[in-house]
Amino acid sequence: MNIHYHLSDYISHRVAGEAYIACLRRLGHTVVDDPAKSDLVIIHEGAHDYAAITKDMPRAPGRKFVGYAVWETPQLPLPFIEGVKRVDAVWTCSEFSRQAFLPYAKTFLLPHVVDRAKVSRADIEWAMHRLGIAEKTREARDIFYFYTIVDTVNPRKDITTMLTAFAAAFPRKEDKVRLVVKQYRMPQNLSAFPFVIDVPETLPPGRIAALHAVCDAYVSTHHAEAWGLPLSEALSFGNPVIATGYSGNMQFMTAENSFPVPFTVVPVPEAMCRALPDLFTPDMTWGNIDPASLVQTLRRVRATPVTREFRERAAASMKAFSPVALCDRLASLLASL
């Protein structure tokens, strides 16, 4: 087929969409710039933008429109409900997200591609220098490096709970731990937090991958995710992932390959509703990670050596989302159209 793929500029959408475009080409399809020359239009963007995006796109007989969209709470916002009326089907990354769309559109599961990035020696050397790591192997290190990649101004990511729990779990220099916080979008000042290594600068993909390669355990205290790309990327490197055991990340996280932390389902707070009033409303719900359980899990992961067997098991669990596996899934969805 000739396929027009409308790709969002939002970073997570773009990363995921570029992987799907590579799959389409691998399957022998042609990606075209002009939707008028396409058999299929895929719109990889928030569903609230579908009306504006499709307004001037020609609706020729036989041409299908698919929206690739994600959402982070069980309740779909009204602008998304209106938006999905503009497409013939919706594809989304997790069963959690699919259930939100399902009452309003034909919705199908297409997980994100998880393909462990190749890391250059130069990027590894940069990461070790940037984080102050002298030892070349994890086994030789005295200090344990937790890390996260997070939009610190987004209330949904809940960086405050992470920083508070980390300080409670490891209050002393003798604990020999660090928390590496790779910020993006609008970095905040984290200088008040001891043992936190702030990485606010913009990094190319190779250096992001180097953080996965040199750090020890990933942490996320999110309230809700449609998927959680940095979490699955961390698992592809065989790293332990400590995260809220709720929402789309449970598409790939299990008690065997990671450390899901207990949570409580609560209403979305006013701060999030004020931040994005068109999308988040007080009748929506998400998960609050349990702070005491998080502290215990942080200490447990620090105290227990991460074995080679665990790392191999974690990395192997991501093969279900390899480019080959997702090409097969994508081919099936295209055939069904």
Side-chain angles (χ1 to χ4, degrees):
M1 288 192 288
N2 290 330
I3 299 174
H4 174 72
Y5 202 108
H6 176 95
L7 186 56
S8 171
D9 286 330
Y10 188 70
I11 184 168
S12 60
H13 292 342
R14 178 159 290 275
V15 169
E18 287 172 347
Y20 293 137
I21 289 171
C23 285
L24 290 170
R25 289 179 170 142
R26 185 171 183 167
L27 290 168
H29 302 290
T30 302
V31 179
V32 298
D33 293 330
D34 186 356
K37 297 180 180 179
S38 70
D39 306 302
L40 170 65
V41 175
I42 301 174
I43 306 166
H44 197 138
E45 185 63 274
H48 57 310
D49 290 328
Y50 286 1
I53 293 168
T54 61
K55 180 166 62 78
D56 297 322
M57 288 185 178
R59 294 267 178 172
R63 180 176 297 132
K64 298 290 187 178
F65 284 74
V66 168
Y68 194 99
V70 301
W71 187 244
E72 295 91 2
T73 74
Q75 305 82 15
L76 204 64
L78 181 59
F80 273 51
I81 295 171
E82 293 300 317
V84 298
K85 296 176 182 178
R86 307 285 298 193
V87 296
D88 299 297
V90 172
W91 297 346
T92 192
C93 58
S94 64
E95 185 60 26
F96 178 86
S97 182
R98 192 179 82 91
Q99 289 298 320
F101 285 96
L102 197 54
Y104 311 103
K106 295 178 181 178
T107 310
F108 302 91
L109 178 64
L110 179 61
H112 285 325
V113 176
V114 183
D115 191 16
R116 176 171 171 165
K118 294 180 174 61
V119 189
S120 70
R121 180 177 296 180
D123 286 331
I124 292 289
E125 290 175 352
W126 168 85
M128 294 184 70
H129 176 76
R130 179 67 177 80
L131 305 182
I133 302 172
E135 301 82 1
K136 291 187 177 181
T137 66
R138 286 188 172 96
E139 293 74 18
R141 292 181 199 164
D142 198 25
I143 294 175
F144 191 92
Y145 290 82
F146 294 96
Y147 72 113
T148 191
I149 301 169
V150 64
D151 177 1
T152 49
V153 300
N154 187 341
R156 182 169 57 81
K157 303 296 185 177
D158 195 15
I159 186 66
T160 301
T161 294
M162 182 187 302
L163 294 169
T164 302
F166 180 79
F170 309 111
R172 305 171 305 155
K173 183 177 180 181
E174 292 76 16
D175 293 320
K176 297 182 178 180
V177 295
R178 301 291 184 271
L179 174 62
V180 178
V181 180
K182 169 64 193 88
Q183 301 191 64
Y184 62 89
R185 206 158 70 95
M186 295 176 61
Q188 304 299 295
N189 185 352
L190 302 181
S191 60
F193 297 93
F195 317 127
V196 169
I197 300 175
D198 183 19
V199 184
E201 64 267 27
T202 300
L203 300 180
R207 291 189 172 181
I208 293 289
L211 295 179
H212 290 298
V214 304
C215 292
D216 295 298
Y218 192 89
V219 187
S220 172
T221 49
H222 64 267
H223 289 295
E225 295 282 8
W227 177 270
L229 281 171
L231 286 71
S232 59
E233 290 165 0
L235 281 172
S236 76
F237 279 84
N239 291 339
V241 171
I242 302 165
T244 315
Y246 175 75
S247 65
N249 54 298
M250 298 310 291
Q251 189 73 34
F252 54 86
M253 282 181 62
T254 69
E256 286 69 43
N257 71 357
S258 54
F259 296 86
V261 180
F263 62 92
T264 303
V265 175
V266 299
V268 171
E270 290 186 8
M272 190 76 242
C273 299
R274 287 196 302 268
L276 291 171
D278 292 338
L279 298 180
F280 286 92
T281 54
D283 61 313
M284 293 178 172
T285 56
W286 64 16
N288 276 1
I289 196 168
D290 180 64
S293 297
L294 175 60
V295 169
Q296 293 173 1
T297 305
L298 290 168
R299 289 173 175 166
R300 173 187 169 195
V301 172
R302 172 65 182 100
T304 307
V306 182
T307 64
R308 176 178 296 180
E309 290 75 17
F310 179 92
R311 292 189 179 278
E312 290 175 350
R313 183 167 67 249
S317 69
M318 293 300 98
K319 290 181 180 178
F321 312 106
S322 69
V324 172
L326 269 298
C327 277
D328 289 344
R329 176 63 180 161
L330 187 53
S332 175
L333 290 176
L334 292 172
S336 71
L337 288 171

